[in-house]
């Protein structure tokens, strides 16, 4: 039996779980909601990174998962033998670093000594770290606040000074509040979705992996053609406005691509910064998690 992890934050897997496409080729697939598994330790955001996404590939939780950019780096940092399967196109319109317009904060350079909300351990950690590095700051120069979905409210309440905002939650804030963009994601960070697995699963279960990738490609094509119907699957889960979810999905790239040298270089830079800032215990080589033969599998699935 193949176990596929899913949760709403990986939009492609969430839709696939609800459409029954994978069951045609893998009728015994077991869908595992990541939120039903132990959350694991959440280190303080000044001390480390949560690692549940990668850990559950090795503790019997699931065999395949999709996340943002940071979790597979964290997994490698813990010594897990993961393999990247595929990446999405850049999702640079999905979020950015913001502050209230009247806060007096003009750029990331002004965040020294400030409280910054983020979903720590997600792509938001990488975005913020890249922004600080460009401004000549380090993680130690700010007070990161692990806010999860509460970041927007914390910003409104004045409990944090900036937020790594993301859609659709950012859209609700934009409707009622004047914001200042401190840094756009575009030009800083590609912010891709990505999918990864254990090396043994990639090597020993190639047919199952090919079936998952092909089903994701088919499901993603459906999302591109039916963004409002896809949005209903998310709005029904979290109660967010349907129009906001549709807007978010229309501005995200769908479709799987082979792992590229450009992506590996960006991930390596992120890994090096995470280590240098004390969030990753050891240096890693991102390229060690790349199996070149999987590129053919992903390319074939797009035909």
């Amino acid at each position: 039996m193949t176990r596929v992890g899913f949760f709403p934050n990986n939009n492609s897997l969430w839709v696939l779980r609800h459409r029954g496409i994978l069951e045609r080729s893998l009728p015994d697939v077991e869908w595992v909601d990541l939120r039903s598994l132990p959350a694991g330790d959440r280190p303080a955001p000044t001390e480390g990174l949560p690692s549940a996404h990668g850990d559950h590939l090795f503790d019997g939780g699931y065999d395949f998962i999709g996340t943002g950019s940071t979790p597979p780096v964290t997994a490698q940092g813990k010594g897990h033998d993961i393999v990247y399967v595929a990446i999405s196109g850049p999702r640079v319109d999905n979020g950015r670093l913001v502050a209230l317009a009247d806060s007096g904060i003009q750029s990331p350079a002004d965040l020294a000594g400030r409280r910054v909300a983020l979903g720590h351990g997600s792509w938001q950690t990488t975005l913020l770290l890249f922004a600080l590095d460009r401004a000549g700051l380090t993680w130690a120069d700010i007070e990161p606040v692990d806010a999860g979905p509460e970041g927007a409210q914390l910003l409104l309440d004045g409990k944090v000074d900036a937020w790594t905002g993301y859609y659709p939650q950012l859209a609700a804030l934009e409707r009622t509040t004047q914001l200042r963009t401190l840094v756009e994601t575009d030009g800083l960070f590609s912010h891709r979705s990505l999918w990864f697995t254990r090396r043994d699963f990639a090597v020993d279960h190639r047919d199952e992996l090919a079936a998952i990738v092909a089903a994701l490609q088919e499901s993603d094509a459906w999302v591109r053609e039916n963004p409002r119907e896809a949005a209903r699957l998310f709005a029904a889960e979290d109660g967010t406005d349907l129009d906001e979810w549709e807007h978010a999905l229309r501005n995200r790239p769908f479709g799987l691509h082979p792992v590229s040298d450009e992506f590996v270089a960006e991930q390596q830079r992120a890994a090096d910064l995470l280590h240098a800032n004390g969030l990753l215990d050891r240096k890693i080589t991102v390229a060690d998690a790349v199996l070149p033969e999987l590129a053919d599998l992903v390319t074939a699935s797009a035909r």
Side-chain angles (χ1 to χ4, degrees):
M1 178 179 294
T2 299
R3 297 157 299 171
V4 177
F6 75 103
F7 64 123
N9 289 7
N10 187 275
N11 302 157
S12 296
L13 282 169
W14 182 260
V15 174
L16 183 63
R17 168 67 182 93
H18 288 84
R19 297 209 63 243
I21 294 172
L22 181 56
E23 285 78 356
R24 298 201 303 258
S25 53
L26 289 179
D28 64 345
V29 63
E30 179 183 345
W31 288 97
V32 180
D33 190 330
L34 179 64
R35 299 167 299 178
S36 72
L37 298 174
D41 295 331
R42 286 196 71 85
T46 54
E47 297 176 357
L49 294 161
S51 59
H53 295 83
D55 291 343
H56 291 315
L57 282 169
F58 295 84
D59 65 10
Y62 43 69
D63 301 303
F64 180 92
I65 190 64
T67 67
S69 60
T70 310
V73 170
T74 306
Q76 273 193 277
K78 289 196 69 176
H80 292 321
D81 193 10
I82 66 155
V83 169
Y84 289 97
V85 177
I87 61 177
S88 76
R91 298 185 299 166
V92 294
D93 294 326
N94 189 43
R96 61 190 189 277
L97 183 60
V98 300
L100 298 180
D102 61 359
S103 67
I105 300 172
Q106 303 289 329
S107 74
D110 297 325
L111 293 178
R114 307 275 193 159
R115 291 168 59 83
V116 184
L118 73 158
H120 186 51
S122 72
W123 63 272
Q124 298 167 45
T125 300
T126 298
L127 172 68
L128 180 55
L129 198 53
F130 279 1
L132 293 172
D133 185 62
R134 178 186 281 182
L137 299 176
T138 70
W139 202 250
D141 291 320
I142 66 164
E143 184 178 345
V145 176
D146 190 5
E150 305 303 321
Q153 191 61 51
L154 292 177
L155 185 66
L156 279 174
D157 293 344
K159 295 180 179 178
V160 298
D161 302 293
W163 173 47
T164 50
Y166 55 95
Y167 291 97
Q169 287 81 354
L170 186 55
L173 191 61
E174 288 172 329
R175 284 203 313 269
T176 60
T177 309
Q178 290 294 314
L179 300 175
R180 174 173 284 110
T181 296
L182 304 183
V183 65
E184 296 281 3
T185 302
D186 193 11
L188 179 70
F189 170 46
S190 69
H191 178 24
R192 302 171 190 267
S193 285
L194 50 91
W195 297 267
F196 59 107
T197 185
R198 302 184 308 275
R199 185 176 301 272
D200 69 282
F201 186 81
V203 172
D204 298 336
H205 298 271
R206 171 87 175 216
D207 290 346
E208 290 92 333
L209 189 58
I212 295 169
V213 170
L216 279 167
Q217 295 281 37
E218 181 179 342
S219 182
D220 272 16
W222 179 83
V223 175
R224 288 195 299 269
E225 296 297 322
N226 303 276
R228 191 162 187 82
E229 288 305 307
R232 295 185 194 281
L233 299 175
F234 296 93
E237 173 68 16
D238 66 8
T240 300
D241 182 80
L242 179 61
D243 291 338
E244 291 174 3
W245 260 117
E246 182 181 2
H247 176 269
L249 296 180
R250 284 184 181 276
N251 284 280
R252 290 176 187 172
F254 286 92
L256 280 66
H257 306 280
V259 174
S260 66
D261 292 342
E262 178 185 20
F263 168 75
V264 172
E266 181 179 73
Q267 286 288 85
Q268 188 63 58
R269 179 176 172 237
D272 292 343
L273 280 174
L274 288 164
H275 176 68
N277 284 271
L279 296 176
L280 205 62
D281 289 339
R282 64 191 183 101
K283 291 186 176 181
I284 66 167
T285 300
V286 172
D288 290 345
V290 178
L291 274 182
E293 57 265 33
L294 294 185
D296 292 339
L297 182 152
V298 176
T299 301
S301 71
R303 293 172 184 168

